[in-house]
Structures are given as C-alpha cells and as structure tokens.
C-alpha cells in the first residue's frame, strides 16, 4: 500500500499459507484481518489505486512464477514470502522441514525464474538481524560485510571484505542464512541486482495507509509461535496477563517500527545496486533493547506485572548488541522511536481489540531442544 500510494503498480503474490497456519494453530491475529479481496477493494476505495493479486506458491509452482514474471515484467520484486516464525520453525520435525523447503525453495525459485525470464529485476529481500547471531567480539555488527586481514603463505598482509560470519539461532534464521548464500551466488554468476535487508523485530501496527480504513489494519500476532516480543508484552498488558519474560530477559534485540520498515523498502528500491555489483546489505533496525527493560517499560506505562518464565529457546541468557545502521539514516530514514509510539499501541490497538484475545494461546510452547521437553534447561544436558 505504501508503494501503491507512491504511484507504483503493485501485484501481491501470496499463497495465503500464513492464514492456513493460523487455522492449524487455532490462533488468530488480535486485530481482525479481512480477506485479501476485501482488503484490495478497501484500498481501491480509499486510494483510487488498484492492487493486483496472484495466488501462487512461489516455493512449489516454478512455472506459475516464471509465467507471472514474464507477463507482468516487474522492475522489482520485494521478497517477503517465507515462513517467518522462529518458534514455529522449531516446533517439530514437520515444521522444521516445511520451513526449510518453503523458504529456501521460494528464494531459489525466484532467482532462477528471474534468470530464466531474462528480465533485469531488482530483488529486495526481507532478511533478518538473526543471521548474525546476537553476540560480537565487542564491535558494532557491520552492514553484511566484515573487514578482515589475512596473511598469505609469503607473509604478505591482504585486506578483504567477507560476508559477516553467520550464527543463526533457529531453523527459521538458518533459512535466511541459506538465502544469503543463494543471493551472493546469483549476484556473482548471473549479475542479478539484489538488496538484502537484515531487519530487526517489527513493532507497531499502523502505517499511514492502513489508518485510512479499518479493513486495512495489519496483523497483530500475540500467540506463542508468531507473536513477536514487544507485541506480546503490549497485548498482555492490555488483557491483564503478566508480561512473560523468557529466562533472565537479558537478551538484547533490534527493533524497527512498521512504518519505518515500509519507508526502508522504498529507500532500498530507489537505491538499487548496479548489475555485477555484490549484494547490497543494509541493517534495517533503529534501536536495540534488552527484553527485561522492555517489559519494565511496558509495565510502567500500563501497570502490568512482569513474570520471569523458563526460556524455551537455546540461546545466551545475556547479550550485548551493537549494530551499524548508517546506510538508511544517511539515505533519509527518520526513525520512529519506541517512546513515541508505545502508549498509542497499548491504548489504540491492544486495548481496542483485547476482547478478541485468547489467553490460552499466549504461552510459548515450542521448545528448542528435546532435552528441554524433559525439563532440563537448554545447554545443561
Ligand atoms: N515480522 C518481523 O518482525 C520480521 C522481522 C525480520 C524479518 N521479517 C521478514 O519479513 C518478511 C515478512 O514478514 P511478515 O511478518 O510480514 O510475515 P507474514 O507471514 O505476514 O508474511 C509472509 C507472507 O508470505 C506468504 N508466503 C509464505 N510462503 C509462501 C510461498 N511459498 N508462496 C507464496 N507466498 C508465501 C505468507 O502467506 C505471508 O502472507 C518475512 O520474510 C520475514 O521473515 C519479519
């Protein structure tokens, strides 16, 4: 909608798998989500602009994807189409395999289809900060590439840039690592123009476009699989459920507001790499916070209590996170900070829809290792 509003012709390609996973989990967005057809009609009414829609499984229907590209001839593809929940990806052998099959094939099919089509398409991919892992040697995480100095056998010193070493924390994050290698290969071999956005955790619900009609509201997931940490705290505060902090809450994470996310995509589209250039990697985040600090902040605003519960994930109890995000800032991004938008989210979104909440879906039940299901904390078996 943000891009359509700017005058671009946009077609959505989606197989509606996210809606099917809601049914499988018996969970739903806190905000009511209209059908795709209703949403597209609502956008047409408020903007006078038409969004196209093609129901297509990008991971499995290669021919359909190639036909679509050849017919529509896009200047750019914004690639969102992946299973995006780390807890869902860790649930069981089926969801692990589904996440890898779906995400890696979706990305690879897209790249092969672009090569096959002969079109010069700029691919903008939504990756994750999670490809880096969350610990560093103390420096800022650079935007994708690390400066290294190596010694040759002759004793010469050579300086190079390499992809920052990856350290994914779940099967989902691992698929984004695999994506990264696919991108590097196709940028080198076929000179595809690719931008990979290593994004932090989204918070916030509205963009200026979704606010124009209630039927356009975005998802607000709060369940143990798909709910992201801050949204979960906001919803828990709104329904009077203690804020569930996993472990010590010493995990530091990167965040970005949803309206900054759409702006970043616009900026990435307006600054494509040239053919033959390596993959452009931007860190798409605006601030970092420790989880327990976030819980305290939401608690202060709302009066909610904080509950420390066992961590279902296998990860360091505490970590520092320093991230370089100079590219977007230098290209004009003006961040929305947590302090400005948090109260609005509690009052106007979480409380507004609190009667739709199903409290039984709040606990995070997906465990990272089999040892944890036997009651042994991660790392102690
Ligand atoms: N939400 C976040 O905090 C966050 C953070 C970092 C990165 N990301 C990335 O941003 C992208 C969008 O995330 P989101 O939160 O909007 O998730 P989402 O699940 O709402 O959007 C992904 C969409 O892709 C579709 N999809 C999945 N597999 C498909 C396939 N094989 N063919 C066609 N469509 C398919 C789903 O139906 C869904 O509508 C994802 O790639 C995600 O990994 C999200």
């Amino acid at each position: 909608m943000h891009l359509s509003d700017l005058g671009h012709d946009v077609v959505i390609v989606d197989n509606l798998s996210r809606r099917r996973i809601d049914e499988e989990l018996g969970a739903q967005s806190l905000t009511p989500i209209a059908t795709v057809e209703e949403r597209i009609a609502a956008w047409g009414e408020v903007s006078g602009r038409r969004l196209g829609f093609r129901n297509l499984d990008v991971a499995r229907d290669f021919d359909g994807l190639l036909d679509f590209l050849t017919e529509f001839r896009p200047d750019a593809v914004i690639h969102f189409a992946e299973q995006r929940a780390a807890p869902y990806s860790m649930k069981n052998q089926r969801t692990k395999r589904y996440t890898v099959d779906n995400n890696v094939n979706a990305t690879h099919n897209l790249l092969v289809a672009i090569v096959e089509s002969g079109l010069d398409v700029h691919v903008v991919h939504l990756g994750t900060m999670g490809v880096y892992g969350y610990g560093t040697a103390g420096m800022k995480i650079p935007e994708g590439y690390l400066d290294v100095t190596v010694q040759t056998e002759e004793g010469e010193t050579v300086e190079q840039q390499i992809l920052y070493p990856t350290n994914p924390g779940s099967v989902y994050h691992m698929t984004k690592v695999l994506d990264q290698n696919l991108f590097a290969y196709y940028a080198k071999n076929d000179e595809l123009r690719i931008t990979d956005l290593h994004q932090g955790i989204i918070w916030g619900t509205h963009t200026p476009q979704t606010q124009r009609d209630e039927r356009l509201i975005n998802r607000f997931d709060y369940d143990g699989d798909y709910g992201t940490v801050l949204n979960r705290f906001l919803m828990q505060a709104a329904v009077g459920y203690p804020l569930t902090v996993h472990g010590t809450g010493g995990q530091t994470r990167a965040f970005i507001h949803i309206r900054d996310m759409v702006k970043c995509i616009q900026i990435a589209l307006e600054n494509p790499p040239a053919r033959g250039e390596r993959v452009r990697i931007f860190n798409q985040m605006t601030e970092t916070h420790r989880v327990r600090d976030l819980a305290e902040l939401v608690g202060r605003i709302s009066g909610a209590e904080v509950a420390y519960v066992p961590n279902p994930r296998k990860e360091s109890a505490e970590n520092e996170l320093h991230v370089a995000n100079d590219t977007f800032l230098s290209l004009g991004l003006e961040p929305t900070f947590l302090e400005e938008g948090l109260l609005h989210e509690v009052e106007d979104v979480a409380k507004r829809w609190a009667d739709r909440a199903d409290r039984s879906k709040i606990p995070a039940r997906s465990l990272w290792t089999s040892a944890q299901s036997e009651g042994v904390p991660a790392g102690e078996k």
Side-chain angles (χ1 to χ4, degrees):
M1 289 189 278
H2 177 79
L3 297 175
S4 169
D5 222 8
L6 291 170
H8 295 288
D9 285 329
V10 180
V11 178
I12 302 161
V13 175
D14 201 302
N15 66 348
L16 307 185
S17 50
R18 179 69 191 87
R19 290 168 190 253
R20 280 196 294 278
I21 293 176
D22 259 357
E23 284 167 25
E24 174 192 321
L25 298 173
Q28 55 176 348
S29 161
L30 189 67
T31 49
I33 302 297
T35 63
V36 175
E37 291 75 16
E38 284 168 320
R39 289 169 68 88
I40 288 174
W43 179 244
E45 283 169 35
V46 298
S47 70
R49 300 202 46 89
R50 223 180 70 80
L51 283 172
F53 173 64
R54 193 66 71 95
N55 188 333
L56 204 151
D57 186 333
V58 177
R60 289 159 61 155
D61 185 1
F62 176 79
D63 293 341
L65 176 61
L66 180 55
D67 285 350
F68 168 74
L69 289 177
T70 324
E71 191 189 310
F72 184 62
R73 305 180 65 81
D75 299 314
V77 170
I78 298 140
H79 175 27
F80 284 160
E82 302 193 53
Q83 189 300 101
R84 72 116 175 107
Y88 184 82
S89 79
M90 301 303 289
K91 247 181 151 44
N92 55 46
Q93 49 88 6
R94 185 183 57 80
T95 61
K96 285 178 188 175
R97 287 167 42 242
Y98 166 71
T99 304
V100 171
D101 290 349
N102 186 66
N103 295 4
V104 178
N105 277 323
T107 299
H108 192 234
N109 279 352
L110 174 64
L111 298 172
V112 176
I114 292 173
V115 172
E116 200 60 24
S117 73
L119 297 166
D120 182 17
V121 179
H122 177 203
V123 177
V124 176
H125 173 249
L126 263 284
T128 163
M129 287 294 304
V131 300
Y132 299 125
Y134 297 108
T136 65
M139 80 306 184
K140 273 189 174 180
I141 295 181
E143 303 205 67
Y145 298 97
L146 180 69
D147 294 322
V148 294
T149 307
V150 290
Q151 292 260 318
T152 65
E153 278 179 66
E154 289 74 38
E156 232 181 290
T157 303
V158 179
E159 301 205 335
Q160 284 195 340
Q161 281 201 322
I162 58 168
L163 271 176
Y164 189 88
T166 57
N167 187 13
S170 73
V171 166
Y172 157 69
H173 291 105
M174 185 183 64
T175 62
K176 298 283 186 180
V177 167
L178 299 173
D179 285 345
Q180 200 176 240
N181 286 327
L182 294 173
F183 294 140
Y185 177 76
Y186 281 93
K188 181 186 70 167
N189 194 66
D190 298 280
E191 303 193 351
L192 295 194
R193 296 184 297 126
I194 302 170
T195 302
D196 200 2
L197 305 175
H198 287 182
Q199 186 177 256
I201 300 170
I202 291 279
W203 70 281
T205 310
H206 289 296
T207 65
Q209 289 73 33
T210 65
Q211 267 166 325
R212 283 153 76 172
D213 189 298
E214 204 148 77
R215 289 168 293 172
L216 297 173
I217 198 164
N218 276 315
R219 292 188 66 93
F220 186 115
D221 293 311
Y222 64 90
D223 62 279
D225 287 310
Y226 274 85
T228 46
V229 59
L230 187 53
N231 276 6
R232 277 166 61 77
F233 288 164
L234 296 171
M235 174 275 178
Q236 291 168 344
V239 302
Y241 194 101
L243 311 181
T244 48
V245 173
H246 293 164
T248 63
Q251 310 90 329
T252 308
R253 295 288 183 265
F255 294 88
I256 181 167
H257 193 281
I258 192 157
R259 53 173 187 246
D260 293 345
M261 180 276 282
V262 292
K263 185 75 206 252
C264 285
I265 289 180
Q266 178 197 337
I267 293 174
L269 282 174
E270 289 166 358
N271 295 277
R275 272 196 94 103
E277 198 178 314
R278 72 180 182 185
V279 177
R280 277 204 183 168
I281 302 177
F282 299 164
N283 289 342
Q284 187 164 307
M285 50 69 69
T286 55
E287 55 192 315
T288 61
H289 293 278
R290 226 176 250 285
V291 171
R292 64 171 171 261
D293 296 342
L294 279 182
E296 275 164 29
L297 182 63
V298 176
R300 268 204 304 282
I301 293 176
S302 63
E305 281 173 33
V306 178
Y308 289 87
V309 300
N311 191 352
R313 301 187 180 211
K314 184 169 181 173
E315 63 186 358
S316 307
E318 309 267 329
N319 73 281
E320 298 287 333
L321 187 62
H322 303 286
V323 183
N325 63 345
D326 311 84
T327 310
F328 276 127
L329 296 179
S330 70
L331 292 172
L333 178 69
E334 290 168 13
T336 308
F337 290 111
L338 229 64
E339 280 168 41
E340 301 158 37
L342 218 48
L343 194 59
H344 164 81
E345 284 294 321
V346 178
E347 296 295 331
D348 299 350
V349 183
K351 283 199 178 147
R352 160 97 171 77
W353 302 107
D355 61 339
R356 287 174 45 87
D358 175 351
R359 299 165 73 97
S360 73
K361 296 294 171 195
I362 294 177
R365 297 204 163 87
S366 178
L367 302 175
W368 256 233
T369 65
S370 55
Q372 285 165 295
S373 58
E374 293 156 19
V376 184
E380 288 183 22
K381 189 173 177 179

